[in-house]
């Protein structure tokens, strides 16, 4: 009997769990990954919009796709080095597909995450529309134009990125974000049809204010039950609202429900706790739509004196600006590439991202929600007044309203998004037109989301001359650079909330060092000879910046002590393609990153880590391969310790501690080969030890995958770091061997890089030279049920290495 009872309670527990987690519910709304089996061809391709057009000789590929990144670098490309020195032009995509007869009564639409740029779309030869903005997400209703059953359908997309230059950075070209096909019943939750707010949050309860728009695409009047349930992360129902509704044909209806949740678990940076809100529509008790919105419950505040707080906790915004490219993958918005990037930044202590200077991919925002990052979501780099010849200014009049509205509608449910930025260094701030446009844009934003502050990244610090500021419309004033005058802001901008929307613009090449390290250089003022940088490198001692910017230390020292500054966004977290200030071609990617384009941290990474995290840090640099007798500056970034002692070949060079507002230590050392050792101590106890050895000839290759296994889903990526080592296993800091890659089994090579800003080897090659001892190969799942084997060898075949990576079921 006891046994029976036990079994019964186990079964009922499982039953309850199944009910609670809704395992029994099938998806009514069908969301198909529409990235596979497209055809692609560059050029005008007359007639390619037509259903009957012959595309069998076109290239077969899967999206997301960026054709620019596949091209060869050249000074001649009209994108110029600022645009990455890669080709642009016109390209066409076509996809042939069939639709099941079962869908005949459904509403079917296609959703594009982003197409750069000027996309035009046809279904079966019918024109659906054009969208100039290359960063906005868009959708078209296909329902009235589809063939069902065996008869084929063709979607054709023309992408026109031929007018150049149209950007100050690399854009990529093509359908570079994900595409989905969505089929729902005629009565359904509209596209981006939900909006969640949490206007009242306390420890014991939260008010979830939820708006849902339902669309009736049928010809009949619909009567239905609209049910919304909120589930916690374990799938337990925590709140509910139900109403009975009636909706006329071809109409929409928006319903607001206030749902109270007891003991809410708040979304925070340390624990980004997410809830799911599911709206179900029932017609005569039949479920006809189920639509999920994920969200987090949190509150935040910008204070004029105390800066930013999240859930009542004072929190300095420690952010970085990011452009949208993913290095060797180009603009391709692969969520695993973005996840790796965010993981590297999280380790450094970053807690916020500014999506410079355009709407980001949804994948980035989803990851920020899940990983606990704050986001400044930015709409524009230009308004009506241009910065380069063919930029968005030419589309401003016709499109800015729709583009801004769509951005807000798409992104307003993300807990990570804490403010909207209506622009970056907008020209209109200098004249009266800025006031009117600011008012218009802020009205658009507030009309759709009055819940988040609106900011703009400004440069004009004279309050009388800044017309965007003078509009009085901004909730938070963003200032780019100018750290020298931050203390004056409370006086000059009385009663305003302030954030350093863009800072630093320090420059560095990983692994390259120029002595003496304590001289500060403001490119491009400093002359090349002083640096000896004929090889297009910039010193990675934190000593070089643009004249409008600062070194990393200069601005951080200022911002860390000013409580009224809500935080900062460093320009930039990662190097990005294009804008290779201070050089021209062959430099073709930026020097601004704290991390290089390949994902390898530059030294400044550890300065931030020592300041922005609590984990013990001791980072000593540069490498230890110099000329005998040469004077070398040795720097250490550290925290959680009272002092650091440096030893050369066992002999102490003295213990030092940071004084006043120092952020690093420095010893001048006369080079002798051997071992440099640093020891950090707290209260006399060793906290960390670090050794750097003089390396001999390269004789080994070390392969380090950034994860142990990847999914067999055609998307997952493993980045394998290639380190050049000597016979003793010491890192060889100047190694530049040409490395060949070969992959067998369940993966394919999708990119190679070494982080060198003037490297002209294609990112799509199967070989690359190590740069300052390192390179990376990116391998992607090819969907096969097979493990991956990577074989690596130097050009002469003398040094070889291999690595196996597991693939796991999706
Ligand atoms: C800023 C601009 C950024 C980038 C940066 C380089 O003025 O907002 O987009 O160009 O300069 O230092």
């Amino acid at each position: 009997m006891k046994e029976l009872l036990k079994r019964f309670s186990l079964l009922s527990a499982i039953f309850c769990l199944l009910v609670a987690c809704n395992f029994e519910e099938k998806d009514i709304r069908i969301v198909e990954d529409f990235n596979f089996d497209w055809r692609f061809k560059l050029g005008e391709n007359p007639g390619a919009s037509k259903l009957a057009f012959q595309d069998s000789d076109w290239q077969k590929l899967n999206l997301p796709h960026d054709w620019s990144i596949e091209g060869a670098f050249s000074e001649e490309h009209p994108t110029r080095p600022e645009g990455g020195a890669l080709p642009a032009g016109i390209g066409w995509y076509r996809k042939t597909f069939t639709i099941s007869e079962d869908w005949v009564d459904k509403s079917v639409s296609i959703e594009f995450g982003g197409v750069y740029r000027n996309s035009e779309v046809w279904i079966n030869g019918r024109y659906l529309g054009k969208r100039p903005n290359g960063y906005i997400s868009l959708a078209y209703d296909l329902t009235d134009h589809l063939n069902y059953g065996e008869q084929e359908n063709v979607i054709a997309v023309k992408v026109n990125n031929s007018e150049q230059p149209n950007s100050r950075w690399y854009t990529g070209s093509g359908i570079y974000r994900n595409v989905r096909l969505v089929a729902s019943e005629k009565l359904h939750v509209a596209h981006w049809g939900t909006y969640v707010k949490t206007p009242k949050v306390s420890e014991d309860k939260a008010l979830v204010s939820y708006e849902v728009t339902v669309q009736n695409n049928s010809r009949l009047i619909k009567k239905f039950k609209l049910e919304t349930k909120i589930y916690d992360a374990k799938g337990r129902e925590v709140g509910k609202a139900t109403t009975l509704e009636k909706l006329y044909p071809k109409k929409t209806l928006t319903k607001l429900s206030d749902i109270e949740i007891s003991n809410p678990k708040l979304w925070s940076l340390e624990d980004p706790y997410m809830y799911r809100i599911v709206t179900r529509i029932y017609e005569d008790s039949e479920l006809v739509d189920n639509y999920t919105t994920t969200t987090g419950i949190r509150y935040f505040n910008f204070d004029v004196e105390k800066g930013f707080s999240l859930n009542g906790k004072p929190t300095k915004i420690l952010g970085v600006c990011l452009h949208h490219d993913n290095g060797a993958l180009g603009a391709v918005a692969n969520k695993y590439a973005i996840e790796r990037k965010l993981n590297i930044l999280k380790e450094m202590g970053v807690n916020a991202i500014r999506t410079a200077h355009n709407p980001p991919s949804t994948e980035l925002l989803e990851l920020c929600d899940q990983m606990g990052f704050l986001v400044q979501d930015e709409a524009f780099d230009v308004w009506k007044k241009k910065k380069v010849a063919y930029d968005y200014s030419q589309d401003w009049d016709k499109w800015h309203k729709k583009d801004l509205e769509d951005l807000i509608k798409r992104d307003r449910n993300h807990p990570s998004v804490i403010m909207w930025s209506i622009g970056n260094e907008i020209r209109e701030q200098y004249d009266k037109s800025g006031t009117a446009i600011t008012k218009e844009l802020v009205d658009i934003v507030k009309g759709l989301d009055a819940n988040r502050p609106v900011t703009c990244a400004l440069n004009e610090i004279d309050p009388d001359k800044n017309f965007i500021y003078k509009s009085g419309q901004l909730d938070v004033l963003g200032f780019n650079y100018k750290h020298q005058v931050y203390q004056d802001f409370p006086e000059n901008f009385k009663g305003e909330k302030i954030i350093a929307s863009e800072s630093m613009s320090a420059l560095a090449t990983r692994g390259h060092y120029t002595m003496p390290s304590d001289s500060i250089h403001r490119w491009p003022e400093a002359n090349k000879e002083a640096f000896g940088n004929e090889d297009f490198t910039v010193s990675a001692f934190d000593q070089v910046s643009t004249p409008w910017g600062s070194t990393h230390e200069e601005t951080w020292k200022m911002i860390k002590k000013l409580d009224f500054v809500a935080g900062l966004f460093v320009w930039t977290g990662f190097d990005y393609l294009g804008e290779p200030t201070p050089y021209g071609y062959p430099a073709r990617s930026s020097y601004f990153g704290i991390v290089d384009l390949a994902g390898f941290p530059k030294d400044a990474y550890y300065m931030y880590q020592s300041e922005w995290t609590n984990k013990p840090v001791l980072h000593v640099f540069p490498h230890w391969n110099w000329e005998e007798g040469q004077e070398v500056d040795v720097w250490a970034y550290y925290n959680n310790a009272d002092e650091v002692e440096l030893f050369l070949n066992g002999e102490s060079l003295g213990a030092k501690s940071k004084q006043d507002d120092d952020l690093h230590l420095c010893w001048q050392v006369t080079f002798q080969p051997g071992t440099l050792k640093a020891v950090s101590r707290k209260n006399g106890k060793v906290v960390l030890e670090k050794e750097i050895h003089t390396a001999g000839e390269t004789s080994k290759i070390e392969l380090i995958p950034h994860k142990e296994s990847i999914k067999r889903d055609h998307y997952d990526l493993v980045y394998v770091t290639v380190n050049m080592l000597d016979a003793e296993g010491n890192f060889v800091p100047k190694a530049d061997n040409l490395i060949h890659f070969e992959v067998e089994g369940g993966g394919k090579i999708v990119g190679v890089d070494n982080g060198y800003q003037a490297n002209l080897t294609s990112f799509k090659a199967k070989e690359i030279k190590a740069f300052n001892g390192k390179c990376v190969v990116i391998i992607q799942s090819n969907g096969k049920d097979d493990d991956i084997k990577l074989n690596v060898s130097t050009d002469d075949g003398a040094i070889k290495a291999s690595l196996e990576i597991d693939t796991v079921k999706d």
Side-chain angles (χ1 to χ4, degrees):
M1 185 63 187
K2 231 179 171 184
E3 191 52 31
L4 246 174
L5 265 177
K6 231 167 137 189
R7 270 197 210 165
F8 178 74
S9 58
L10 188 72
L11 278 175
S12 57
I14 294 173
F15 177 75
C16 290
L17 197 72
L18 285 175
V19 172
C21 301
N22 277 292
F23 284 151
E24 87 281 15
E25 183 169 324
K26 68 172 179 104
D27 279 331
I28 301 294
R29 169 181 289 257
I30 301 162
V31 181
E32 264 186 23
D33 177 342
F34 217 50
N35 287 334
F36 292 90
D37 304 319
W38 287 74
R39 296 269 182 182
F40 170 73
K41 195 165 180 200
L42 283 174
E44 278 288 357
N45 299 300
S49 64
K50 303 219 159 55
L51 176 63
F53 183 82
Q54 259 310 317
D55 60 18
S56 51
D57 61 336
W58 286 23
Q59 186 190 342
K60 266 184 155 175
L61 51 76
N62 297 335
L63 304 176
H65 172 244
D66 169 9
W67 79 72
S68 293
I69 203 70
E70 295 169 353
F73 294 106
S74 162
E75 203 166 1
E76 307 298 314
H77 291 312
T79 52
R80 312 174 304 173
E82 290 88 328
L86 285 165
I90 295 176
W92 278 87
Y93 296 84
R94 284 170 56 92
K95 180 176 163 93
T96 304
F97 60 103
T98 55
I99 295 276
S100 148
E101 299 271 8
D102 299 347
W103 286 23
V104 96
D105 292 324
K106 292 189 188 290
S107 281
V108 183
S109 58
I110 187 166
E111 298 181 0
F112 295 89
V115 186
Y116 203 91
R117 116 200 231 248
N118 289 315
S119 64
E120 288 177 275
V121 183
W122 291 259
I123 174 73
N124 299 333
R126 294 282 199 97
Y127 190 60
L128 293 173
K130 175 171 178 172
R131 198 67 184 257
N133 190 320
Y135 299 106
I136 209 77
S137 297
L138 50 136
Y140 293 105
D141 190 339
L142 305 180
T143 319
D144 294 341
H145 316 292
L146 287 174
N147 300 314
Y148 296 87
E150 281 173 16
Q151 215 183 326
E152 287 181 334
N153 296 282
V154 173
I155 283 273
V157 182
K158 181 183 181 186
V159 182
N160 188 344
N161 190 17
S162 59
E163 281 183 331
Q164 293 288 343
N166 61 50
S167 172
R168 302 186 297 110
W169 58 88
Y170 174 83
T171 62
S173 310
I175 309 178
Y176 68 99
R177 290 185 187 155
N178 293 314
V179 180
R180 318 191 309 170
L181 195 72
V182 179
S184 49
E185 296 303 313
K186 295 272 190 235
L187 182 69
H188 59 259
V189 173
H191 183 48
W192 298 328
T194 65
Y195 176 31
V196 197
K197 285 175 283 184
T198 51
K200 282 190 208 149
V201 181
S202 67
E203 233 172 64
D204 51 338
K205 56 180 186 245
L207 182 69
V208 178
S209 182
Y210 177 77
E211 212 176 273
V212 55
T213 302
V214 180
Q215 187 165 338
N216 179 7
N217 278 352
S218 79
R219 294 201 170 84
L220 305 171
I221 298 176
K222 295 280 185 182
K223 287 189 176 160
F224 56 95
K225 182 169 94 178
L226 185 63
E227 176 199 272
T228 292
K229 287 187 174 172
I230 306 183
Y231 301 93
D232 69 9
K234 289 204 170 119
R236 289 177 300 218
E237 186 186 315
V238 294
K240 179 179 168 173
T242 308
T243 52
L244 295 176
E245 307 290 345
K246 181 172 161 187
L247 186 54
Y248 286 92
K250 310 288 173 197
K251 295 277 184 231
T252 59
L253 116 101
T254 298
K255 185 83 202 164
L256 178 73
S257 338
D258 283 334
I259 307 173
E260 213 173 72
I261 296 185
S262 334
N263 304 316
K265 199 152 183 230
L266 300 194
W267 183 94
S268 67
L269 300 175
E270 303 76 28
D271 184 8
Y273 191 89
M274 300 285 286
Y275 287 86
R276 266 183 331 121
I277 306 183
V278 183
T279 288
R280 298 185 178 88
I281 303 175
Y282 294 92
E283 260 189 280
D284 297 332
S285 74
E286 190 195 340
L287 182 63
V288 296
D289 198 12
N290 44 3
Y291 184 93
T292 300
T293 305
T294 51
T295 197
I297 299 173
R298 73 329 174 226
Y299 61 96
F300 60 85
N301 185 43
F302 284 87
D303 184 87
V304 174
E305 280 161 24
K306 295 193 213 122
F308 182 76
S309 64
L310 180 64
N311 302 326
K313 179 176 155 193
T315 305
K316 196 88 166 174
I317 294 176
L318 305 172
V320 294
C321 301
L322 286 184
H323 270 314
H324 70 307
D325 76 67
N326 285 312
L329 304 182
V332 166
N334 177 297
K335 75 168 179 199
Y336 300 102
I338 304 170
E339 186 180 32
R340 168 181 177 255
K341 219 160 152 176
L342 292 176
N343 272 322
I344 292 170
L345 295 171
K346 187 119 211 165
E347 275 291 293
M348 173 182 134
V350 172
N351 67 17
I353 305 293
R354 171 182 179 220
T355 70
H357 304 298
N358 46 261
S361 65
T362 298
E363 288 73 19
L364 175 97
L365 296 182
E366 284 169 356
L367 285 162
C368 288
D369 289 348
Q370 291 156 19
M371 295 172 73
F373 284 92
L374 307 167
V375 175
Q376 175 176 324
D377 199 340
E378 192 150 89
F380 305 115
D381 188 49
V382 290
W383 294 350
K384 224 170 149 76
K385 292 191 176 166
K386 66 176 157 217
K387 290 184 181 168
V388 294
Y390 298 102
D391 62 23
Y392 183 76
S393 60
Q394 57 182 357
D395 303 311
W396 179 261
D397 284 341
K398 189 157 173 222
W399 287 99
H400 72 274
K401 182 165 185 288
K402 168 106 178 113
D403 286 339
L404 185 57
E405 282 173 357
D406 283 2
L407 169 70
I408 311 293
K409 283 190 205 154
R410 190 197 65 170
D411 294 350
R412 62 188 173 169
N413 292 329
H414 290 279
S416 56
V417 176
I418 53 151
M419 57 181 154
W420 306 109
S421 164
I422 53 171
N424 172 59
E425 300 191 346
I426 296 295
R427 296 257 147 111
E428 284 84 344
Q429 73 192 288
Y430 302 108
D431 68 72
K432 273 197 184 133
S433 68
T435 303
I437 301 179
T438 306
K439 173 135 188 31
E440 188 213 343
L441 299 182
V442 173
D443 282 350
I444 293 172
V445 176
K446 298 281 178 180
L448 291 164
D449 181 36
N451 218 22
R452 291 177 176 85
V454 179
T455 189
C456 187
L458 307 165
N459 349 41
E460 179 53 69
I461 50 168
D462 181 339
D464 295 327
K465 293 191 184 145
N466 189 326
F467 290 84
I468 293 182
Y469 159 67
K470 286 211 292 189
S471 74
Q473 298 292 308
L474 297 181
D475 301 304
V476 176
L477 301 184
F479 284 102
N480 288 6
Y481 308 98
K482 318 272 188 347
H483 69 282
Q484 303 87 340
V485 297
Y486 277 6
Q487 312 96 302
D488 307 337
F489 284 169
E491 185 56 32
N492 295 348
F493 297 93
K494 281 212 176 68
E496 296 290 349
K497 298 158 185 172
I498 308 274
I499 188 158
S501 39
E502 189 175 314
S503 305
M504 282 74 168
S505 272
L507 302 161
T509 299
R510 172 186 52 82
H512 180 88
Y513 305 95
T514 306
M515 312 291 166
S517 63
D518 58 358
S519 55
I520 304 288
H521 302 268
R522 309 284 178 205
W523 281 92
E525 283 161 18
N527 67 40
K528 266 193 192 170
E529 272 127 61
F531 280 75
N533 296 348
E534 293 305 322
D535 60 353
F536 303 95
T537 57
V538 174
S539 175
F541 283 121
D542 182 16
Q543 60 179 149
V544 190
S545 84
T546 56
W548 56 89
S550 76
T551 64
H552 293 287
E553 294 194 3
E554 285 168 331
T555 297
W556 174 237
K557 276 182 190 174
M558 183 63 76
I559 288 180
K560 71 185 277 196
K561 59 181 190 224
L562 299 177
D563 287 344
F564 71 86
V565 180
L568 82 170
F569 290 98
V570 182
W571 189 265
T572 47
F574 273 63
D575 281 347
Y576 51 93
L577 291 161
E579 207 176 33
T581 308
Y583 298 109
Y585 196 79
R588 46 48 170 175
S589 54
S590 84
Y591 293 74
F592 297 115
I594 302 166
V595 180
D596 78 12
L597 198 68
F600 303 131
K602 302 178 191 174
D603 297 294
Y605 180 94
Y606 301 96
M607 185 280 282
Y608 289 108
Q609 198 177 46
S610 71
E611 287 282 296
W612 290 4
T613 75
N614 291 325
K615 59 186 142 206
V617 173
L618 174 60
H619 178 71
V620 186
F621 60 105
H623 56 77
W624 209 238
N625 276 54
W626 300 92
E627 300 288 317
E628 192 93 37
Q630 192 176 339
E631 292 303 315
V632 182
D633 291 342
V634 176
W635 284 33
Y637 295 128
Y638 73 99
N639 63 6
N640 298 1
D642 312 318
E643 58 169 29
V644 177
E645 188 167 0
L646 192 69
F647 300 87
L648 177 57
N649 296 328
E651 219 164 280
S652 174
L653 302 177
K656 296 194 180 201
S657 319
K658 290 188 268 195
Q659 307 296 318
D660 308 322
D661 63 354
D662 285 350
L663 296 173
H664 72 269
L665 300 176
C666 179
W667 290 260
Q668 266 98 36
V669 183
T670 309
F671 179 75
Q672 286 164 30
T675 301
L676 195 65
K677 178 176 170 181
V679 180
S680 64
R681 292 191 201 95
K682 192 176 176 87
N683 301 327
K685 279 204 187 120
V686 174
V687 178
L688 286 173
E689 289 188 358
K690 282 284 155 74
E691 283 189 8
I692 309 173
H693 303 268
T694 305
E697 294 288 295
T698 309
S699 65
K700 280 192 224 163
I701 296 175
E702 178 185 39
L703 299 175
I704 308 175
H706 91 291
K707 53 189 181 194
E708 296 305 317
S709 63
I710 62 170
K711 290 187 206 136
R712 286 178 215 127
D713 64 354
H714 293 271
Y715 293 110
D716 203 354
L717 302 169
V718 55
Y719 287 69
V720 182
T721 296
V722 179
N723 284 328
M724 309 309 292
L725 308 181
D726 72 4
E728 265 78 62
N730 300 314
F731 178 68
V732 184
K734 288 282 151 196
D736 61 355
N737 312 63
L738 180 60
I739 308 291
H740 292 266
F741 302 104
E742 198 188 80
V743 165
E744 297 162 30
K748 59 181 183 194
I749 296 172
V750 289
V752 291
D753 193 9
N754 59 19
Y756 176 38
Q757 291 98 344
N759 163 50
L760 295 181
T761 306
S762 165
F763 290 118
K764 296 291 166 190
K766 304 279 181 285
E767 69 277 315
I768 193 165
K769 276 180 140 192
F771 174 70
N772 287 339
K774 279 169 138 35
C775 57
V776 71
V777 57
I778 311 170
I779 302 169
Q780 184 167 49
S781 146
N782 60 12
K784 282 192 204 149
D785 182 1
D786 207 351
D787 288 339
I788 295 168
K789 182 152 189 218
L790 168 68
N791 297 313
V792 175
S793 69
T794 49
D795 203 28
D796 55 6
I799 315 174
K800 289 190 162 65
S802 62
L803 177 76
E804 298 214 355
I805 297 143
D806 294 342
T807 62
V808 293
K809 204 167 158 284
D810 186 11

